[in-house]
Amino acid sequence: FKRRFIRTQRLRYQTHLPKILTVETNVVSSGVNSKSSGIDDEVKKAFPNLYGRPVFKFEKNKAEKIEHKAIKVGIVFSGGPAPGGHNVIVGLYDLIKSHNKNSEVWGIYHSMTGLYEESYIVLNDEIIDQYRNIGGFNMILTGRKYTDPEIALPAFSKFCKTSGLNALVVVGGDGSNTRAAELAEYLCQKNQDVQVVGIPKTIDGDIKNRFIETSFGFDTATKVYSQLIGNIMIDALSSEKYWHFIKVMGRSASHVALECALKTHPNMVLIGEEIEKQNKTLNDVICDICDLIEERSKKGLKHGVLIIPEGLIEFIPEFSVLINECNQIVKENKDREERWTREEMLEKLKGNSLKLYSSLPKGIARELLYSKDWCGDITLSKIATDKLLKWSCRKELKRRSYKDFNCMTHFFGYEGRCGYPSNFDCDYCYVLGNTAGRFIESGITGVMCGVNGTWKKTEEWIPFGMPFPEMFLMKSNGFQKGLNPVAKRILVDLKGVPFKTLLKYRGIWRMDDDYYACGPIQYHGDTKDERTITLLLEQRN
Ligand code: FBP
């Protein structure tokens, strides 16, 4: 009964809109051209139609009332779930239905795969009303399957012609938005009047740039992880006997680890980007942790909390060489169907990589050979870095004759991806859906929707559309030959204010247990609905 009650309360949450989205609007250029000097010439060539367009924004329509024709808009979820996704659909649905009740939103099942398999549902009020402000991607499901663009693009173009679909909204991370940009460019080249618009989704927080301030889901996920970390901290303080090694999701970038550290004040947090810059080996990292364990122990502190980013090992140079060599060996034998075994890899590797690989616990060595994502990258969430560090610290501390090391490991990942979205993520996603709808109605294609001033009150936000090429670089994507345009994943900026803030405080947190247990997300009552610390520190005008 209680669970139902909470769900009902969540369904009733009233999302807010920026002032400009409460009126009829026209799309205008913001005056900012997205031609960035940082864009590779090859990217420009790959997007001759999309490159060089301005960043679009809205202004109030002062002319006569706009007649909105009925349209059919498809929407896909792609990649890992992120809290708030359903509200993107709801925001889009509410907008286009309010403009013309004959317009339709088609929920495409299982990401892009649904497009090629023509598997979709025409959404209606009854379905939509069950998912307002509710976490998860289960309304239309998600997927990660990669389809070769040479097959996918013509198939989608044909599907639009036969079905009469006018536009597609892609809710995804870097991979999905790469697909969305290719599709938008392809349709322009074919003179096909179908719009493709992207939405920045990922709990990892790595889809951002000089225009996009944050991806949705990062706010809720980091609040959920921080609550759990805070609880563990209080337990550590209460029993004073365990070190807790906590790995948090976030793929390559350490944004999630950094945000959780700023919120909870652990004794130590590892930031992959810093470790790479300092060119540290695994042994250096282990020695740093063990030094702290010993230092605390001398003061009678046998407990502690360490936060580890999911992508840590990618940033340890000797590991990235090893991962590349393993990838290379697997790719050279791509016709092979059976899984590689540890023993076979030991026969193939040479030099330092062989030394490192053979020194790893067998389980970790095997995990390194397991599944790859669409880019051919190792799926980091499957590698138990927390356990690797525990195992290596135990070995090192034994060598130092230290006996009091009791360690518990944790991985917080999936539990943060589908929680009830915070009020921020509810509003942000609703606004992104509404924004996407307005661009589509105005015939704008090839943009990612964003909001300027997300750290302010929702009413003051300024929504915009950033042309896709702004976020691309040339890279091997693991499937097509040579280099191809791929959306960038943005890493932690070591010169940025959030990291500098960590530098200021982390020395204090090592020995003083200044733990901060922030408790669960507040949905009701007198909530300030705090933004992430990252967003507040990066505040842009
Ligand atoms: P995307 O948002 O980029 O799809 O990734 C989110 C994520 O949760 C990563 O943090 C994590 O590494 C990965 O998905 C796990 O993938 P899977 O759901 O396939 O296990």
Side-chain angles (χ1 to χ4, degrees):
F1 168 75
K2 199 167 179 203
R3 199 157 56 93
R4 287 233 183 108
F5 173 75
I6 293 169
R7 186 181 159 89
T8 312
Q9 293 301 306
R10 209 62 210 131
L11 286 166
R12 286 192 196 136
Y13 171 72
Q14 281 300 321
T15 43
H16 304 83
L17 280 176
K19 251 186 250 142
I20 188 70
L21 298 190
T22 58
V23 295
E24 283 274 17
T25 51
N26 297 317
V27 173
V28 290
S29 159
S30 67
V32 180
N33 199 296
S34 80
K35 278 189 183 171
S36 141
S37 54
I39 295 185
D40 193 307
D41 281 345
E42 294 303 312
V43 172
K44 296 176 193 168
K45 278 189 217 152
F47 297 104
N49 287 283
L50 303 186
Y51 173 69
R53 293 188 181 184
V55 173
F56 296 104
K57 64 171 188 169
F58 302 106
E59 67 171 20
K60 188 174 174 187
N61 172 48
K62 294 186 190 114
E64 72 278 14
K65 198 174 162 3
I66 304 172
E67 286 302 323
H68 294 280
K69 63 177 178 36
I71 49 172
K72 292 177 187 170
V73 182
I75 185 160
V76 292
F77 284 147
S78 207
H86 287 143
N87 268 23
V88 178
I89 303 186
V90 177
L92 171 72
Y93 181 92
D94 284 354
L95 178 93
I96 69 166
K97 282 282 186 188
S98 72
H99 286 168
N100 189 322
K101 64 177 178 11
N102 295 320
S103 286
E104 289 175 5
V105 176
W106 296 6
I108 317 280
Y109 286 122
H110 287 297
S111 184
M112 300 284 207
T113 316
L115 283 170
Y116 320 125
E117 293 173 355
E118 304 192 10
S119 164
Y120 63 91
I121 180 169
V122 179
L123 299 170
N124 56 35
D125 291 356
E126 199 190 335
I127 302 173
I128 289 289
D129 288 341
Q130 285 174 47
Y131 290 95
R132 289 181 187 273
N133 313 309
I134 301 294
F137 275 10
N138 46 327
M139 184 203 291
I140 56 169
L141 313 175
T142 183
R144 282 196 192 280
K145 208 167 150 203
Y146 175 83
T147 315
D148 185 341
E150 294 201 0
I151 301 167
L153 300 180
F156 177 65
S157 155
K158 190 171 153 222
F159 174 66
C160 290
K161 276 185 196 142
T162 50
S163 66
L165 198 68
N166 300 98
L168 178 70
V169 178
V170 177
V171 180
D174 54 320
S176 336
N177 279 295
T178 300
R179 300 280 83 78
E182 287 166 355
L183 197 51
E185 178 64 39
Y186 179 85
L187 294 167
C188 285
Q189 287 176 16
K190 296 270 160 213
N191 284 325
Q192 203 172 334
D193 187 18
V194 174
Q195 287 85 48
V196 184
V197 170
I199 303 288
K201 169 237 68 165
T202 181
I203 62 150
D204 304 343
D206 58 0
I207 300 273
K208 58 180 179 182
N209 54 31
R210 63 186 178 127
F211 299 111
I212 305 289
E213 296 181 2
T214 187
S215 56
F216 80 77
F218 179 70
D219 185 86
T220 310
T222 51
K223 281 177 176 153
V224 171
Y225 301 147
S226 298
Q227 178 202 354
L228 300 173
I229 295 168
N231 294 354
I232 286 177
M233 286 171 158
I234 303 302
D235 192 285
L237 270 185
S238 309
S239 47
E240 290 191 317
K241 60 178 179 184
Y242 293 125
W243 261 88
H244 292 274
F245 283 10
I246 307 172
K247 178 176 100 165
V248 287
M249 222 179 214
R251 213 184 271 284
S252 310
S254 308
H255 299 292
V256 174
L258 177 57
E259 172 65 22
C260 292
L262 291 171
K263 274 200 171 83
T264 61
H265 315 171
N267 302 109
M268 190 177 214
V269 54
L270 303 174
I271 300 296
E273 292 80 343
E274 183 188 26
I275 288 171
E276 182 180 46
K277 186 161 177 243
Q278 294 170 337
N279 211 6
K280 288 196 169 168
T281 62
L282 176 62
N283 194 46
D284 296 334
V285 175
I286 297 302
C287 286
D288 288 349
I289 304 170
C290 292
D291 289 350
L292 178 62
I293 294 172
E294 282 195 311
E295 201 183 326
R296 283 177 62 84
S297 165
K298 282 184 194 140
K299 298 247 154 80
L301 304 167
K302 299 285 162 62
H303 63 278
V305 174
L306 166 73
I307 300 183
I308 307 158
E310 181 180 69
L312 175 72
I313 57 169
E314 242 189 286
F315 289 103
I316 299 179
E318 55 179 346
F319 256 105
S320 60
V321 172
L322 170 65
I323 291 172
N324 283 341
E325 287 182 16
C326 290
N327 277 337
Q328 202 52 39
I329 294 169
V330 173
K331 277 176 197 164
E332 274 164 17
N333 298 276
K334 63 173 186 285
D335 294 334
R336 174 195 160 111
E337 282 178 7
E338 321 86 75
R339 227 176 220 183
W340 283 82
T341 64
R342 174 179 172 272
E343 290 62 36
E344 285 172 317
M345 203 43 86
L346 283 171
E347 276 173 26
K348 295 264 177 196
L349 289 166
K350 295 189 185 71
N352 282 344
S353 293
L354 174 62
K355 212 166 129 200
L356 175 62
Y357 190 71
S358 56
S359 73
L360 298 175
K362 284 187 183 160
I364 304 277
R366 273 189 225 110
E367 278 167 3
L368 272 177
L369 306 176
Y370 286 2
S371 56
K372 310 272 187 297
D373 65 15
W374 72 272
C375 252
D377 295 333
I378 282 176
T379 40
L380 296 165
S381 60
K382 309 280 185 299
I383 298 170
T385 326
D386 45 336
K387 295 199 170 54
L388 171 66
L389 295 191
K390 172 179 166 178
W391 181 85
S392 309
C393 283
R394 175 159 294 146
K395 222 166 115 188
E396 171 62 16
L397 289 166
K398 200 169 162 202
R399 197 188 63 76
R400 298 184 187 191
S401 308
Y402 179 90
K403 293 196 180 64
D404 276 335
F405 181 54
N406 292 308
C407 180
M408 303 299 259
T409 57
H410 314 264
F411 169 42
F412 298 144
Y414 299 95
E415 44 280 83
R417 298 200 313 187
C418 286
Y420 285 137
S422 62
N423 291 343
F424 172 78
D425 274 327
C426 285
D427 282 2
Y428 187 35
C429 290
Y430 192 80
V431 169
L432 289 172
N434 184 301
T435 302
R438 287 174 194 251
F439 281 132
I440 287 166
E441 286 178 342
S442 304
I444 303 291
T445 190
V447 292
M448 173 175 275
C449 300
V451 166
N452 187 248
T454 34
W455 48 277
K456 298 182 188 165
K457 281 205 292 201
T458 315
E459 289 73 10
E460 293 169 32
W461 292 357
I462 300 172
F464 63 84
M466 175 203 75
F468 278 131
E470 178 68 30
M471 58 190 294
F472 278 77
L473 52 73
M474 298 301 287
K475 197 180 156 199
S476 160
N477 67 14
F479 284 92
Q480 293 161 291
K481 283 197 196 120
L483 300 182
N484 293 280
V486 174
K488 284 179 241 178
R489 284 180 191 160
I490 303 298
L491 303 178
V492 168
D493 177 5
L494 299 181
K495 295 198 181 102
V497 193
F499 181 72
K500 283 192 179 156
T501 307
L502 175 74
L503 289 185
K504 198 165 151 196
Y505 293 102
R506 71 179 173 189
I508 306 170
W509 299 340
R510 282 170 71 86
M511 301 301 289
D512 294 358
D513 290 341
D514 186 28
Y515 299 152
Y516 187 72
C518 45
I521 299 175
Q522 300 299 302
Y523 296 109
H524 307 290
D526 185 16
T527 68
K528 274 205 279 139
D529 191 31
E530 285 164 357
R531 303 294 189 250
T532 59
I533 298 180
T534 307
L535 208 54
L536 292 175
L537 292 174
E538 284 179 344
Q539 239 171 76
R540 315 173 194 188
N541 285 305

